[in-house]
């Protein structure tokens, strides 16, 4: 089971929107040095929605190659078309990803039965560990714990990223899915409490900026050390809030560029962080002692 601090990696770009492979390699080394437990390549934070399929898989392959087996790489392969999700998942397996993260189909708003059949089809088609991803704030589709429980019985479906921020879902999903099923949070603000309640880790945006702090906080929380976890999380509160002051990944890319790790590049329709937000994000970075 992949556990701990799993960073949803930003995709470095030049100001014309082209992917910056040199900075991508630098980011991979940075996270491994800082103790990040795993990386998600081409999640929401990686701007998967604005890269075409060829670019998407090229970034996944580059990250897998740069990591070279040092930590697990999870490829984002979700889509609102089942056939496209199968194709992306098969491609991720081909380039050597360790697991795949599949967001619930967005915009078309499937029923719970539709969600079950969608994920079942992907799991039956591609032999790679698969992690469900529930983020109704972005997809307008909430996968209920009961549906996750049904899917947990399917071979190859090994976990869920639960990004509702509802802490009651930790125990509900655990009761339905058992101890061998991984439960990750996708909500940085509640990640400390989520893991203290029995979650297996976080798929984090804040970890892009303060990877060591997030790793240490999540490790303490998984081990039941509330005092240490809460003390570290207090330093991260600003990041958890201000990295969402505008749509993710706008603020986090600005923050990582301020650290000198990437250039100022982002894909339309996303735009660079506006100047009125600079001070708030900078203050959060100072609180976390990364500036």
């Amino acid at each position: 089971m992949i556990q701990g601090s799993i960073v949803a990696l930003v995709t470095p770009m030049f100001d014309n929107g082209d992917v910056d492979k040199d900075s991508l390699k630098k980011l991979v080394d940075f996270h491994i040095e800082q103790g990040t437990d795993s990386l998600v390549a081409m999640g929401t934070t990686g701007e998967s929605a604005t890269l075409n399929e060829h670019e998407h898989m090229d970034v996944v392959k580059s990250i897998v190659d740069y990591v070279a087996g040092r930590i697990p790489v999870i490829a984002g392969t979700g889509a609102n078309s089942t056939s496209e999700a199968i194709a992306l998942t098969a491609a991720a397996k081909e380039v050597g990803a360790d697991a795949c993260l599949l967001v619930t189909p967005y915009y078309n708003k499937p029923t719970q039965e539709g969600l079950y059949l969608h994920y079942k089809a992907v799991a039956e088609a591609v032999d790679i560990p698969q992690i469900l991803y529930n983020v109704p704030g972005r997809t307008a589709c909430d996968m209920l714990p009961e549906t996750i429980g049904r899917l947990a019985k399917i071979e190859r479906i090994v976990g869920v990223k639960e990004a509702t921020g509802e802490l009651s879902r930790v125990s509900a999903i655990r009761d339905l899915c058992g101890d061998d099923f991984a439960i990750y949070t996708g909500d940085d603000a509640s990640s400390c409490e989520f893991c203290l309640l029995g979650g297996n880790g976080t798929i984090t945006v804040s970890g892009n900026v303060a990877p060591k702090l997030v790793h240490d906080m999540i490790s303490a929380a998984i081990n039941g050390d509330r005092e240490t976890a809460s003390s570290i999380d207090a330093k991260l509160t600003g990041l958890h809030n201000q990295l969402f002051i505008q749509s993710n990944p706008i603020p986090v890319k600005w923050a990582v560029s301020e650290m000198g790790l990437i250039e100022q590049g982002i894909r339309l329709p996303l735009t660079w962080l506006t100047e009125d937000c600079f001070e708030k994000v900078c203050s959060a970075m100072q609180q976390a002692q990364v500036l």
Side-chain angles (χ1 to χ4, degrees):
M1 183 188 293
I2 299 170
Q3 295 199 95
S5 175
I6 304 164
V7 172
L9 196 66
V10 298
T11 301
M13 297 173 183
F14 298 107
D15 59 6
N16 66 356
D18 289 345
V19 175
D20 178 357
K21 294 287 191 68
D22 289 338
S23 292
L24 187 61
K25 187 173 184 178
K26 183 164 61 174
L27 279 183
V28 166
D29 287 337
F30 169 70
H31 280 288
I32 292 172
E33 290 163 4
Q34 293 289 308
T36 293
D37 294 295
S38 177
L39 293 172
V40 170
M42 282 284 95
T44 304
T45 309
E47 293 174 79
S48 57
T50 52
L51 273 67
N52 64 39
E53 187 172 331
H54 172 76
E55 293 171 317
H56 184 118
M57 293 317 306
D58 186 50
V59 171
V60 173
K61 184 179 186 306
S62 295
I63 292 172
V64 169
D65 290 347
Y66 296 155
V67 168
R70 291 176 287 175
I71 57 176
V73 176
I74 302 168
T77 60
N80 61 349
S81 159
T82 303
S83 60
E84 183 181 351
I86 290 171
L88 285 170
T89 303
K93 179 189 176 183
E94 180 69 23
V95 301
D98 296 285
C100 290
L101 177 68
L102 294 104
V103 69
T104 52
Y106 41 85
Y107 190 76
N108 45 20
K109 299 171 75 171
T111 62
Q112 296 300 305
E113 184 64 15
L115 289 173
Y116 174 78
L117 293 173
H118 168 83
Y119 283 111
K120 180 174 181 285
V122 181
E124 290 176 346
V126 189
D127 184 10
I128 190 172
Q130 296 168 30
I131 300 165
L132 314 171
Y133 177 13
N134 187 41
V135 57
R138 279 190 177 264
T139 64
C141 174
D142 186 7
M143 182 164 48
L144 299 178
E146 292 75 15
T147 303
I148 297 169
R150 290 179 70 196
L151 288 165
K153 296 179 174 66
I154 297 174
E155 188 178 4
R156 299 173 188 154
I157 295 178
V158 300
V160 63
K161 176 184 177 183
E162 173 55 56
T164 61
E166 296 178 18
L167 293 171
S168 62
R169 292 202 176 189
V170 181
S171 59
I173 294 169
R174 181 65 70 210
D175 290 345
L176 288 163
C177 300
D179 292 338
D180 293 335
F181 190 78
I183 308 173
Y184 310 109
T185 180
D187 179 59
D188 276 307
S190 60
S191 60
C192 180
E193 190 64 26
F194 187 100
C195 290
L196 284 165
L197 289 170
N200 299 105
T202 179
I203 298 179
T204 171
V205 175
S206 296
N208 280 280
V209 180
K212 187 177 188 307
L213 279 181
V214 175
H215 169 270
D216 291 349
M217 180 268 287
I218 293 296
S219 178
I222 288 173
N223 289 315
D225 185 349
R226 177 176 292 276
E227 183 177 356
T228 300
S230 299
S231 174
I232 299 170
D233 195 44
K235 300 175 184 177
L236 292 163
T237 302
L239 287 180
H240 296 337
N241 294 323
Q242 301 307 327
L243 291 183
F244 299 92
I245 195 171
Q246 290 183 353
S247 295
N248 180 46
I250 292 172
V252 70
K253 291 197 88 171
W254 183 87
V256 177
S257 74
E258 286 294 293
M259 296 167 70
L261 293 169
I262 64 172
E263 302 294 325
Q264 294 188 10
I266 201 163
R267 287 265 180 108
L268 285 171
L270 298 179
T271 53
W272 203 240
L273 189 70
T274 53
E275 192 171 347
D276 59 304
C277 297
F278 288 2
E279 185 177 343
K280 291 179 180 178
V281 179
C282 186
S283 177
M285 294 172 72
Q286 290 169 342
Q287 180 188 15
Q289 299 176 328
V290 295
L291 272 188

